[in-house]
Amino acid sequence: MRRGSFVGIALGLAGVFGLVSSASPPLPPGFVSAFHWRSDDPLFGGFSAIDISVDGAQFVAINDKSAYVSASVTRDVFNRIILLNADPIKNLRDQYGNTYGPYRRDTEGIAITADGTVFISFEQNARIAKFETLADKGILLPKHAAFKTMRRNASLEAMAIAADGTLYTLPERPIAQSNAFPIYRFRDGNWDQPFDLPRRGFFLAVGADIGPDGRFYLLERQFYGLSGFASRVRRFAIGSNQFDHEETLLQTKPGQHDNLEGLSVWRDPSGFLRLTMISDDNFLFLQRTEIVEYRVPD
């Protein structure tokens, strides 16, 4: 989600007055690396979702302007990212073959099936499109009735797909006065809303994935103004009509990383589950595009 001018003003003041210290608190357990990604491509920035391959050697990312990029990953002997070799960034196309206009292009979540079919969620006008490949036209899925009631800048950001093809999504913020995130499930061509996830504190839901262990991972973010962003990852077991066995795997201090919005979960060569996350710099020079990785326990 683009934070707009408020984020820019807050971070700008922090830089001018030296309110954000360069001496960050210790990183949480499991930290592997944080790679600062730069590019001169005019479409570069605003990355909101990432899907990494099962071996961690390549990924696809999408940004807020309905553009996507594929990249190969070079790692060192400790399996930390040291280099990215990215293809040119390309625009997604709608069902008519056109690029998405300014009020239709706020792409936020990505989920890719084993056969390469891609699902992408849009936030300003809450909806999900299906792409046979990212180079093909996007075909809209039917909408759940609740999608029409969601706030334009706080709707479908997090999305994940299970091995059986069941698609899960949720809005960035709880709807109305509820203190829970409604989970929407798409299977056999139909939507239902079987349960909610409890909201813990003031974190917002921004990314999701289903890991190789078959569990649901939720990336959340909280903005602390001059202090920057804090991130949290929770994990749940997937039941027929509930997510349970909630665990908090990771919670960072404000300012330790940038605005992490995309999450992909895989198993590294040592057998550890790994979280790969990407930050949305809101196309602001005061922020940065980071790819951050943590190991987490089974």
Side-chain angles (χ1 to χ4, degrees), residues 20-200:
V20 175
S21 171
S22 60
S24 298
L27 288 156
F31 174 74
V32 176
S33 64
F35 180 85
H36 186 184
W37 187 17
R38 301 175 177 89
S39 172
D40 295 327
D41 193 309
L43 289 174
F44 183 84
F47 292 107
S48 298
I50 188 170
D51 187 278
I52 200 162
S53 60
V54 294
D55 60 358
Q58 53 191 342
F59 68 78
V60 173
I62 60 168
N63 70 12
D64 294 341
K65 294 184 177 180
S66 287
Y68 69 95
V69 61
S70 300
S72 59
V73 181
T74 301
R75 298 175 179 272
D76 64 15
V77 295
F78 302 104
N79 210 18
R80 298 174 299 197
I81 298 173
I82 57 172
L83 181 67
L84 298 178
N85 184 16
D87 295 334
I89 303 176
K90 300 176 182 178
N91 288 301
L92 294 167
R93 296 182 298 145
D94 65 15
Q95 63 266 40
Y96 306 109
N98 302 317
T99 57
Y100 291 94
Y103 299 103
R104 300 175 57 244
R105 68 186 182 188
D106 193 5
T107 42
E108 294 286 347
I110 189 170
I112 303 179
T113 66
D115 68 2
T117 304
V118 183
F119 295 89
I120 289 178
S121 62
F122 295 75
E123 185 180 30
Q124 287 197 39
N125 176 6
R127 64 202 192 279
I128 293 174
K130 174 183 176 181
F131 300 78
E132 294 301 326
T133 72
L134 287 169
D136 291 319
K137 300 175 184 178
I139 306 300
L140 291 177
L141 298 186
K143 289 186 178 184
H144 189 284
F147 293 177
K148 298 178 182 179
T149 68
M150 294 179 180
R151 284 181 276 185
R152 293 182 63 85
N153 207 29
S155 68
L156 304 180
E157 289 218 19
M159 186 173 59
I161 194 161
D164 66 359
T166 301
L167 189 68
Y168 298 93
T169 188
L170 65 157
E172 180 187 14
R173 293 178 181 271
I175 295 175
Q177 301 302 314
S178 169
N179 199 37
F181 299 105
I183 296 294
Y184 298 93
R185 180 173 61 187
F186 186 77
R187 59 182 180 180
D188 301 325
N190 296 293
W191 286 102
D192 65 351
Q193 197 271 296
F195 53 86
D196 298 337
L197 283 186
R199 185 181 184 186
R200 307 295 187 199

Side-chain angles (χ1 to χ4, degrees), residues 274-285:
R274 186 173 295 205
L275 313 176
T276 297
M277 295 167 283
I278 194 167
S279 67
D280 177 357
D281 68 354
N282 293 298
F283 297 97
L284 296 172
F285 74 93

